[in-house]
Structure formats: C-alpha cells, structure tokens
Amino acid sequence: MQTVKHTIAENLGVAPTLSGDPHQLVDPQHQFSLDQVGDLSGKVALVTGGSEGIGFGCTHTLLKSNIDKVFVVSLSEEIISQAKNAFAEDDELPKDAAARIVWKQCDLTDWKRVQQVAREINQETDRLDILIANAAKGIMTHSLDRNGIDSHMSINHLGHVVLIDALLPLLNKTVKDQQTKVRVVSFSSNLAAQTPNDVDFATEEDFKSDLGAQALYARSKLADLLFSRYLNRKYSQAGHSDIVFNACHPGVVDTRQTNVWIHEPFPILGYAWNLLNPIKKSIFQGCVSAMYCATQPTKGGNFICPPAVPEDGPEKSRDEEMQDRLVRFSKQIIELAGVTLTTIPV
C-alpha cells in the first residue's frame, strides 16, 4: 500500500484524500512544500528552460523566495518575455521580480554557444548558489543534432555537461567565498528505468542510435542520473562535499510536452495523455522535488521523487563503471565537436 501511495504522490496532481494533495501521502520525513524553500536573499541561481513549464515553476519559486538574480537559459525570446510579464504582474513576487531575471538565449545542442553563455555568466556574477538543469527534449521521435548526436542526448545530457563543466569554477568560488553549500540539480525521470537493457554507454552508438520515442527520452534521463551520481562521487572523493549534486523526478506534469508535443510521436495515442490532464501535476507541484534538491540537502548522489522521497533509481544508475564510461564518451564526443572540457574530473 505504501508503494501505491508513493506512486500517486510522485506522479499525480490529485489524491483520494480530504486535502487532495498527493504529497501528503508520503511519510512525514519525506514531505516538503514550496513554502519550506526559505529565504534566498543574496543568492544567485541558474535555471535552464526556466521560462515555461516546470522551469517556470522553479524560477517563480526562486523569485518568491527573494533570490537576488536568476539566469534563465532558453531558446525563445517570446516565451521569456511572456514569463517576465507574468512575473511582473504577480502580486506574490517582489515588485522588481522581472528585473531579477537575466536571460541568455541558447540552444543546448550548440555547445560552443553554451560555453560562451557560461563565460558571460562568470563575468556577470561573482557567485552561483543553485544550478537547475531542467531544459529537455521530451518524448519525441529521433533526430540528429548538428554534431550527428541524438538530439535527446545532445539537449538533455551533453549540453548540460558543457554548461556544468564551465560553471563548476564559479560554484567552487561560491563555496569558498560565501562559506556555504551550493547545489546542482539534474532533472531525470522514473522513465529512466525503461532504458533498453543493451544500452550501457560503452560506445558512441549509445549517443546516436534510434530506440523509439519513449526509449530515447528514457536513455537521456538515465544519462542525467548517471552524470549526477558521477559528479557527486568524484567531488566527494576529492573532499569537495560542499557542492551537492542530486537528480530529481518531477512526476507527470501539465506542460506543452504532455499536451502538445506528445502528439508528434503518438498522433492518436497522445490523446491518452490529454485525458490525464485533470490528474496531472501543476507546474508548481512538478517543481517541488527540484526545489527541495535546490535548497535543502546537505548530501548528494540521490534520486529525489516528489515531494522529497529518496529512491534508488534504476540499477544501472548506481553502476559506477557505467557512470565512468558515460562521462568518458561524453567528453570525447564534445571535444570532437571542438569544445574542450576543463573542469569535470575523468
């Protein structure tokens, strides 16, 4: 019964309880709400894809918690403008909320641009307390990016590898100068468990091949979880435990992905996702696990499911040899594209 309760809490936006809040179904020690984020005055964050969907929920929560500045890395000027207007008109937020947003236009498949954005951020702030790697390509059909890599792997994993590598010095500086912990949050998914068994990141083919829409997404989300656990392990072994790396699962959230883009791979079956709209999580419910990871844990290496439930994740995600292979081939692919990684330990 506890497993059923946790499944509802992790994935759905309503529950058969008096409160209707699925997060109340988990044990008290694993409950968490956005009201518990705390005051973030003086701090700086970065959210990829922070202008819509779950990323909008993260950015809104950071602003509501009085963060000084949020770098939003995304593609669409129209969508960031809409988000800023919404922030400016929201009475729950500081009056200057929209002015606290610094937008960086970036395509995460353009790894040279990703590095350039990171350089700009390094020049524009002397601290970075929170990095939320949220932007992603969802369940869609196979396509190759400009470097001949599966676009799911390029956007969801490799683009964030480049970004995190370029910002780790700033994260380290923040730890040293501010005498504080900083937190890096990677969005994974419980769908990572559906990665085909023969995917082991032992060759570059696992960064390119077509597995079908859902399995492509699953593979990239397994990579995100493997990478987060790799970084936590390497930094902990080096005695740098003040950078806290965790991954999270958001649940089934009411976003453009689950309402519109799902029809690209599944023109008919996609309507089944639309039928779930009344019980999907809102974007604010969907960002709870990420905001927990972004503000609360003192230890890393975890896979956090809503609201704040640590789970093992797929067995593969705990395979240290697979973590090592993933990072080794990720580095090789990125550097073949003319982008040099300088910080991530290998």
Side-chain angles (χ1 to χ4, degrees):
M1 180 55 111
Q2 193 61 37
T3 300
V4 173
K5 287 182 178 180
H6 280 197
T7 299
I8 293 172
E10 291 172 8
N11 295 294
L12 303 182
V14 296
T17 63
L18 290 176
S19 71
D21 180 3
H23 293 166
Q24 296 300 314
L25 295 175
V26 304
D27 295 337
Q29 68 268 32
H30 298 314
Q31 291 182 10
F32 181 76
S33 73
L34 297 182
D35 292 335
Q36 295 173 263
V37 166
D39 182 36
L40 300 177
S41 297
K43 296 189 175 183
V44 176
L46 181 153
V47 185
T48 64
S51 53
E52 68 173 318
I54 302 169
F56 180 100
C58 290
T59 303
H60 183 282
T61 304
L62 291 165
L63 292 168
K64 188 176 180 180
S65 302
N66 206 37
I67 200 156
D68 269 21
K69 183 183 292 185
V70 183
F71 290 95
V72 171
V73 178
S74 65
L75 267 174
S76 171
E77 185 172 5
E78 178 183 0
I79 292 175
I80 189 64
S81 295
Q82 292 171 355
K84 283 188 173 184
N85 289 338
F87 295 144
E89 296 170 2
D90 194 325
D91 293 337
E92 291 187 328
L93 301 184
K95 293 186 182 299
D96 64 343
R100 300 187 187 197
I101 302 294
V102 178
W103 180 53
K104 298 294 183 181
Q105 187 172 37
C106 185
D107 178 346
L108 286 171
T109 70
D110 184 347
W111 303 328
K112 291 182 180 179
R113 171 60 183 161
V114 174
Q115 275 197 333
Q116 180 184 343
V117 164
R119 286 194 294 270
E120 292 172 5
I121 291 170
N122 273 292
Q123 293 170 356
E124 294 171 21
T125 181
D126 60 359
R127 68 185 295 171
L128 184 61
D129 302 86
I130 295 167
L131 194 163
I132 302 177
N134 158 75
K137 179 179 180 178
I139 299 172
M140 299 180 74
T141 54
H142 181 255
S143 65
L144 297 178
D145 78 344
R146 67 193 71 208
N147 300 304
I149 302 301
D150 163 49
S151 55
H152 286 85
M153 288 295 292
S154 183
I155 296 168
N156 302 3
H157 171 59
L158 294 170
H160 286 117
V161 171
V162 175
L163 183 68
I164 291 170
D165 175 81
L167 290 174
L168 275 168
L170 180 57
L171 293 164
N172 278 308
K173 181 178 185 299
T174 306
V175 168
K176 181 179 178 181
D177 292 353
Q178 307 298 329
Q179 295 295 296
T180 187
K181 289 188 181 293
V182 303
R183 296 175 175 89
V184 178
V185 185
S186 296
F187 268 78
S188 183
S189 169
N190 60 11
L191 285 179
Q194 296 185 20
T195 304
N197 289 333
D198 59 351
V199 171
D200 59 6
F201 302 108
T203 70
E204 288 187 18
E205 187 62 20
D206 284 330
F207 293 79
K208 300 178 179 180
S209 60
D210 184 2
L211 306 174
Q214 188 152 306
L216 287 168
Y217 179 75
R219 177 174 65 185
S220 70
K221 290 301 167 180
L222 174 62
D224 290 337
L225 182 50
L226 284 162
F227 183 52
S228 180
R229 286 180 158 164
Y230 174 89
L231 288 173
N232 179 73
R233 173 165 56 91
K234 290 295 185 178
Y235 269 75
S236 294
Q237 288 172 350
H240 301 305
S241 59
D242 285 329
I243 302 183
V244 181
F245 301 93
N246 282 305
C248 68
H249 165 62
V252 181
V253 185
D254 187 5
T255 64
R256 265 204 300 173
Q257 168 57 43
T258 62
N259 285 321
V260 179
W261 295 336
I262 194 66
H263 293 281
E264 187 266 343
F266 305 122
I268 304 300
L269 291 177
Y271 286 102
W273 283 83
N274 298 147
L275 293 174
L276 294 175
N277 284 355
I279 59 172
K280 289 176 185 173
K281 290 181 181 290
S282 71
I283 58 173
F284 294 104
Q285 289 174 314
C287 77
V288 168
S289 57
M291 291 310 305
Y292 170 82
C293 290
T295 60
Q296 306 300 312
T298 58
K299 295 183 178 180
N302 294 306
F303 178 48
I304 302 296
C305 293
V309 181
E311 294 201 352
D312 290 339
E315 183 178 353
K316 283 186 173 184
S317 71
R318 304 187 299 280
D319 183 334
E320 293 185 358
E321 292 184 359
M322 189 178 296
Q323 293 169 13
D324 293 345
R325 288 197 302 272
L326 170 77
V327 174
R328 184 168 64 251
F329 276 104
S330 296
K331 186 173 188 291
Q332 178 178 315
I333 289 167
I334 291 166
E335 295 193 340
L336 281 172
V339 176
T340 301
L341 301 184
T342 60
T343 309
I344 290 171
V346 291

